[in-house]
Amino acid sequence: MTTAYLTHPACEEHKLADDHPESPQRLEAIQNRLIAGQLMDFLRWREADSATLAQLNATHCPEYVASIFARAPEEGHVALDDETLMMPNTLEAALRASGAVVKAVDMVLQDEVNNAFCAVRPPGHHAEYDKAMGFCVFNNIAVGARHALDAYGLERIAIIDIDCHHGNGTESIFESDARVLYASSYQYPLFPYPDPGASHDNIVHMPLEKGAKGEEFRAAYKRDLFPALEAFKPQLIMISAGFDALAEDPMGQLRLKEEDIVWVTQHLLDIAERYCEGRMVSVLEGGYNTDATGRAVFSHLKVMTGL
Ligand SMILES: [Zn+2]
């Protein structure tokens, strides 16, 4: 199998406070692990383009997008909310992060590669239609999914969110669009404090209690997601790949191990192979223990490459 690895140097120039967990070192750790494990040699490395205004406006409220461009600071910082800051390099990083997913979708749907991973930051899954939230400015995976709907006319895209936090932004953007199945496993209760009961037919919630391990995680996927995914028959599978559900993570209290990441990746890849020729686009979200994130991305990509 051929796997693309999309990123951009600008994604490492978005720097928050020195001790902020959403740090450029996250991407460094991933790349170092891929190089050390000699997996990088097997990946088709591509630099991301910037998402276009039209692509952003197709997903987000155009007034919101315009306000992000208008507020981008030349020095210091601007607070979009309590925890989402824009620094001088944030806009460029956010444009490349969303652009990476658009390019990954193009590469996969044009059969240039079988699947793709986007090593990007800032993350995206908390960003709503007209609101930045939880370190996220643009909803990268939603921008990519919307591109797949609009440019390729896909009718069934599944987005599976394995981050420790519920992807409120992605859910809010697609909850009224039956062409997208959005499923999220997450620690509950925890930021962004979703209502695990509220649901549309195309939305799957898999809340997990603090301390939940791989056993509970796997049971939820077997019970709540895989049957829904088989019935949906996706034409493209996208993964909001957050690695903060790992036991080592400082921001969540789930207890997943690397082998659980391997397990879920393999199951999603099997479903992708059954229904959509293995087409899969995975996008980095959270994951704040840099070593654990690097190791987990390595394992995730090892499955995706078939090595
Ligand atoms: Zn998270």
Side-chain angles (χ1 to χ4, degrees):
M1 273 183 294
T2 321
T3 300
Y5 182 86
L6 295 108
T7 188
H8 192 279
C11 293
E12 295 187 50
E13 295 300 321
H14 162 56
K15 291 176 184 146
L16 300 162
D18 283 346
D19 57 350
H20 198 287
E22 208 289 277
S23 70
Q25 286 75 39
R26 301 174 61 231
L27 295 186
E28 264 176 52
I30 290 169
Q31 289 173 23
N32 289 342
R33 185 67 192 86
L34 295 175
I35 291 166
Q38 297 180 331
L39 192 52
M40 199 58 110
D41 300 342
F42 294 93
L43 302 173
R44 202 165 293 183
W45 195 94
R46 286 285 187 283
E47 204 159 88
D49 299 324
S50 295
T52 65
L53 206 50
Q55 286 160 354
L56 296 171
N57 286 345
T59 300
H60 289 285
C61 171
E63 286 77 23
Y64 168 70
V65 175
S67 79
I68 294 297
F69 277 80
R71 296 181 71 188
E74 286 184 13
E75 55 185 40
H77 70 263
V78 166
L80 302 177
D81 74 0
D82 286 350
E83 60 218 346
T84 313
L85 303 182
M86 284 188 86
M87 320 302 277
N89 296 317
T90 304
L91 177 60
E92 174 71 7
L95 291 172
R96 299 286 181 175
S98 286
V101 191
V102 169
K103 190 167 190 143
V105 164
D106 284 338
M107 290 178 80
V108 168
L109 293 182
Q110 292 172 16
D111 294 327
E112 193 178 330
V113 291
N114 299 93
N115 54 48
F117 180 76
C118 301
V120 294
R121 50 182 295 280
H125 72 154
H126 294 306
E128 297 191 345
Y129 176 66
D130 58 0
K131 194 163 77 170
M133 195 168 155
F135 315 154
C136 304
V137 179
F138 299 129
N139 193 314
N140 308 319
I141 202 164
V143 172
R146 180 71 72 194
H147 177 65
L149 295 170
D150 293 349
Y152 295 91
L154 293 198
E155 292 171 345
R156 294 181 310 281
I157 299 175
I159 302 177
I160 319 302
D161 192 327
I162 63 170
D163 193 276
C164 186
H165 303 92
H166 177 250
N168 59 291
T170 316
E171 175 168 320
S172 72
I173 288 167
F174 290 119
E175 66 186 3
S176 300
D177 190 337
R179 295 173 299 174
V180 178
L181 173 76
Y182 176 71
S184 180
S185 54
Y186 55 89
Q187 181 179 331
Y188 182 79
L190 186 70
F191 177 88
Y193 302 101
D195 176 355
S199 202
H200 293 67
D201 287 347
N202 60 322
I203 303 294
V204 177
H205 278 246
M206 295 179 280
L208 299 165
E209 286 181 9
K210 178 180 174 178
K213 296 181 177 159
E215 198 180 340
E216 290 95 325
F217 174 83
R218 295 183 193 203
Y221 275 74
K222 284 184 198 164
R223 184 186 60 235
D224 299 330
L225 177 64
F226 296 151
L229 210 43
E230 298 272 358
F232 186 68
K233 299 182 174 42
Q235 295 167 301
L236 172 68
I237 290 185
M238 302 182 79
I239 304 178
S240 260
F243 298 95
D244 43 7
L246 292 167
E248 298 93 330
D249 198 90
M251 295 193 73
Q253 289 84 39
L254 295 182
R255 291 285 170 267
L256 296 197
K257 295 180 176 166
E258 231 171 284
E259 64 205 48
D260 299 311
I261 301 297
V262 168
W263 180 88
V264 72
T265 309
Q266 187 64 61
H267 275 75
L268 294 177
L269 194 61
D270 290 346
I271 293 173
E273 278 169 358
R274 274 207 291 290
Y275 295 107
C276 50
E277 299 164 55
R279 288 171 175 162
M280 183 185 270
V281 172
S282 177
V283 182
L284 182 68
E285 301 285 359
Y288 304 102
N289 177 309
T290 53
D291 287 346
T293 298
R295 288 196 304 273
V297 171
F298 177 84
S299 299
H300 180 59
L301 279 171
K302 211 166 164 209
V303 175
M304 287 172 66
T305 53
L307 290 171

